[in-house]
Structure formats: structure tokens, C-alpha cells
Amino acid sequence: MHVLSLSLSSTFFYLFLTSTIPISPAKLIISQPPALRRLHHRELSGDYYSKKCPQLENLVGSVTSQRFKEAPISAPATIRLFFHDCFVEGCDGSILIETKKGSKKLAEREAYENKELREEGFESIIKAKALVESHCPSLVSCSDILAIAARDFIHLAGGPYYQVKKGRWDGKRSTATNVPQNIPRSNSTIDQLIKLFASKGLTVEELVVLSGSHTIGFAHCKNFVGRLYDFKGTKRPDPSLDLRLLKELRMSCPFSGGSSGVVLPLDATTPFVFDNGYFTGLGTNMGLLGSDQALFLDPRTKSIALEMARDKQKFLKAFGDAMDKMGSIGVKRGKRHGEIRTDCRVFL
């Protein structure tokens, strides 16, 4: 086995912030449902369940710590799940809904862009919800449990521990057709990323900081093979790629065939530790995805990436803050807009 090649079964961490579906830049159209704009930042609170379910975080924590030991890939799977939930319809647990058998209306998780979301992420939330229901029946939303679990897994991997504000209700709809225009791609341009993140109320700095989650990510060859052999139709590799990295990547990812199960680290230095190694790698042209390296090539994002590379503690603090803000996107509150599911996979 090549030094950078890892079987999927042995992978501890997987891709979070970047969808694995390359797309032509011209095809990315950003849209935001009116309901998402209206309900962008409803009030959340750290002590929302202090009386209703005071043991909530301990209950979820017992599940996440056990899952991290038994199936470490649950960490990146759950973090990515939270992102995909928040960017489509807001942080409302709609990604957890399963399509009804025989229904022609597909739920979000059935969208092509979500096909590679790992089952370990879904399973972690289902297990946590079952435990919470046994102690606090019909009181805690799936969307709040997902937010807490994502934070727990970040911390278990060495990242920041930040307070999770709670009070989200679960959404009442989940539609696959809403997904494509709301998920970043592995070859998204900086213009596209800035526009998409801005539509969610996130700044350029928060875009860069949240991309730092790739410090524990892995990606399949198909997400970057174009950079190795035919960058933007030139029949040549991406000139921004480090030549030694290019050689190693080509050994693992041939132009065609033989690489479908190969995954490579987004941060080759410390792929299992949540630190700022991802940003230092960008500074030496070691970014794996085109959308990652682009952060260091565009003046609007380069200075921020440099700052994160220089100061690990500043990155960790900024990441916790950005996750907190992302967790308030499109929050639903009250029976008119939401519900408290007893089974995260099924609407009430």
C-alpha cells in the first residue's frame, strides 16, 4: 500500500466542509428559500434545557465518546452531517429524514450530493436521540442533538470545546431538490464560496475558518484528479500543486481506473489531529482540493489563511465561534415552523 493510500475501512476522518461532487463553476447557482431568510437567527440559549432536561449534554456525550472509541469515523461523519443540515433549510434536522418507502418525493439525504454522507454520522444521532428520549421524552429536538454531537466530536478530535446554544425545533420538510445549489463543491471558486457563505449570513473570514475543518479530513481521488492531469482543460497539472505532492498523488490516483476506494488526507502532516496544520499546508502548496488551495491564492482569503497558520489558538477560538454562528442558520421555533420529533428519521 502506498504511504498516502488508505482503505476506506481504516479511515478515521473523512470530508466535512466540501461536497465530493465536482461541478462546472458556471453551473453553481445560489438560492435561499424565503423561510430561511426570515428565520435566519432566532434566539437560542445555552441553558435552554436546564430545567426540562438538565442531563442532556451528559447523555449525548456518553454516546459520542463511545462512538469515537468504537467507530472513529463517526466524528467527521457527524461534523459533515451538521454542515449539510445547516446549509440546506437551516439547522433543523431535515438531513436526518428518510424518504418514505415508495414515495417519489426524495428527502435531502437522498440527494446526489449527499450520497457519500457516512452512515456512522446518522447512527450516532439516532443512538443519542434514543438515549435522550428514554430520559427526556418528546422534549429535545434532533437538530439540537446534532449540534451538540458535532461539537463533542470536534473536541474529541483535539479541537475546541465551545458552548452549544440550544432551542432549535426540527423542520417539517426535507426535499432533495433543495440540496445541489446549497452545498460547496470540491472545485468551487472563491467567488462561488463567498457568495454561498454570504447567503447563509457567514463572512469571508468564517468561510476560511470553517474550511479549517479539513485538518482532519480525507477525500477520494475523484475530487482532485482533474488537478493532477487536466487542470481546467489544459491537459496539464495544476501549476499551484507542490511537485513532490503531485508525484505522490499520481501514484495513488491514476488518470483512470484503480482508485475508487483510495482516500488521501486533506492535511498530510497531522490528519488525525484537529489543529491548524491544514493552513500551514496551504502555505507550501500542499492543498489537496482545488477549493482548498484557492484560499491561499486569492487576496481576499489568503491573509486570513496566513493568520490561521501562524496562530493555532486563534484558529481554534475562531473555529468554535464560527461553528456557533453556523449553528444558528435558519433556526425554526414553535409549532408553526417546526416540531420535536421522537424519531429523527420520521416527521411527526
Side-chain angles (χ1 to χ4, degrees):
M1 182 182 292
H2 188 269
V3 66
L4 283 179
S5 301
L6 300 170
S7 68
L8 191 57
S9 62
S10 67
T11 302
F12 277 16
F13 294 99
Y14 192 58
L15 193 59
F16 156 47
L17 238 187
T18 302
S19 172
T20 57
I21 313 299
I23 189 172
S24 168
K27 293 182 179 179
L28 185 60
I29 301 174
I30 308 302
S31 69
Q32 188 179 34
L36 187 60
R37 293 194 294 269
R38 288 197 306 270
L39 301 172
H40 195 73
H41 289 291
R42 289 293 184 92
E43 186 176 351
L44 299 174
S45 144
D47 60 356
Y48 185 80
Y49 295 104
S50 61
K51 294 183 179 179
K52 293 191 290 185
C53 188
Q55 68 272 50
L56 172 61
E57 300 224 6
N58 288 335
L59 293 171
V60 176
S62 68
V63 173
T64 52
S65 60
Q66 188 66 28
R67 294 284 294 174
F68 190 73
K69 294 175 183 176
E70 296 176 351
I73 200 172
S74 299
T78 304
I79 296 166
R80 189 180 178 201
L81 197 60
F82 185 50
F83 170 81
H84 279 236
D85 185 44
C86 290
F87 264 52
V88 182
E89 294 286 348
C91 307
D92 64 354
S94 54
I95 188 65
L96 303 169
I97 291 292
E98 294 182 352
T99 300
K100 288 184 179 180
K101 189 174 181 179
S103 174
K104 293 182 179 180
K105 184 179 179 182
L106 300 179
E108 286 176 28
R109 67 184 292 177
E110 302 300 328
Y112 183 64
E113 293 77 9
N114 286 335
K115 285 295 185 181
E116 292 190 6
L117 291 175
R118 299 276 305 193
E119 281 301 318
E120 289 87 349
F122 293 101
E123 291 167 3
S124 295
I125 304 308
I126 297 306
K127 287 180 179 293
K129 175 62 171 174
L131 181 60
V132 171
E133 280 294 306
S134 70
H135 289 78
C136 309
S138 301
L139 291 175
V140 182
S141 68
C142 299
S143 48
D144 275 344
I145 291 173
L146 177 54
I148 296 168
R151 185 277 314 280
D152 286 354
F153 279 125
I154 289 167
H155 185 61
L156 287 165
Y161 186 91
Y162 53 91
Q163 183 188 58
V164 174
K165 297 184 180 70
K166 297 167 283 287
R168 303 166 187 81
W169 285 46
D170 298 321
K172 293 183 175 182
R173 67 178 184 178
S174 179
T175 308
T177 54
N178 289 337
V179 175
Q181 64 270 32
N182 286 297
I183 298 295
R185 312 303 175 111
S186 59
N187 63 345
S188 291
T189 66
I190 295 299
D191 281 339
Q192 291 169 338
L193 291 173
I194 289 176
K195 187 175 182 181
L196 175 59
F197 276 65
S199 75
K200 312 302 177 186
L202 297 170
T203 66
V204 174
E205 180 175 356
E206 287 158 347
L207 155 64
V208 177
V209 168
L210 288 170
S211 296
S213 63
H214 286 179
T215 188
I216 57 170
F218 283 76
H220 284 92
C221 292
K222 68 179 181 179
N223 298 302
F224 53 86
V225 70
R227 298 186 72 204
L228 311 183
Y229 301 98
D230 186 20
F231 181 63
K232 296 184 177 179
T234 62
K235 306 298 181 183
R236 295 177 179 275
D238 185 342
S240 70
L241 261 176
D242 176 84
L243 292 179
R244 291 170 299 175
L245 178 63
L246 173 63
K247 182 178 180 180
E248 293 189 17
L249 292 178
R250 281 181 163 180
M251 291 175 64
S252 299
C253 303
F255 182 69
S256 61
S259 63
S260 61
V262 176
V263 291
L264 301 176
L266 294 161
D267 172 8
T269 55
T270 54
F272 303 108
V273 181
F274 201 104
D275 58 14
N276 63 338
Y278 162 81
F279 292 108
T280 57
L282 296 183
T284 54
N285 295 324
M286 298 289 284
L288 190 63
L289 303 180
S291 56
D292 284 339
Q293 193 59 51
L295 296 175
F296 217 82
L297 300 175
D298 191 293
R300 291 170 293 181
T301 52
K302 182 177 180 179
S303 61
I304 304 168
L306 276 170
E307 191 175 12
M308 297 301 110
R310 285 193 297 262
D311 192 335
K312 175 184 173 182
Q313 293 307 315
K314 185 168 187 176
F315 162 61
L316 295 179
K317 173 64 166 60
F319 188 83
D321 291 343
M323 285 294 288
D324 174 62
K325 184 174 177 181
M326 188 182 81
S328 68
I329 295 174
V331 167
K332 315 294 191 297
R333 294 293 297 274
K335 293 183 179 180
R336 179 181 176 186
H337 301 291
E339 61 186 21
I340 306 297
R341 291 181 221 137
T342 54
D343 183 339
C344 295
R345 299 163 290 187
V346 184
F347 292 122
L348 289 181

